[in-house]
Amino acid sequence: MFPVARAALNLTARGIQHTAVRRAHRKYEPDFHDKYGNLVLLGGAAVFTAVWGYVFTQAGIEWGLSPVGRITPKEWRE
């Protein structure tokens, strides 16, 4: 192995070890995702369900119905 590559690898490994030791001695503090992650997920699911429930039931959209047989062509005007 080249000396420069060996030195770079050694510095990288030392940095990773230093970070691991620093995190091991620190108390675990919950971040935003730990505190509110499930609440945000459930809120998003509720909004998603409410919006699509409205669209499917109240918006008056006819979903996937074929117009064949229901639409007749208009008479041609000259």
Side-chain angles (χ1 to χ4, degrees):
M1 192 181 274
F2 296 109
V4 174
R6 189 179 321 144
L9 188 61
N10 191 18
L11 286 175
T12 303
R14 189 177 306 152
I16 292 171
Q17 289 171 350
H18 180 70
T19 303
V21 168
R22 186 175 50 213
R23 287 186 181 168
H25 291 292
R26 184 188 304 171
K27 285 187 175 180
Y28 177 72
E29 299 173 5
D31 61 357
F32 176 84
H33 300 286
D34 294 329
K35 289 181 181 178
Y36 306 110
N38 290 335
L39 186 63
V40 170
L41 182 65
L42 291 175
V47 170
F48 177 85
T49 303
V51 167
W52 280 107
Y54 172 79
V55 168
F56 284 135
T57 59
Q58 303 296 322
I61 299 173
E62 296 182 12
W63 297 93
L65 299 176
S66 173
V68 174
R70 292 189 297 125
I71 296 176
T72 57
K74 293 181 181 180
E75 292 296 325
W76 183 258
R77 292 181 295 169
E78 291 189 33

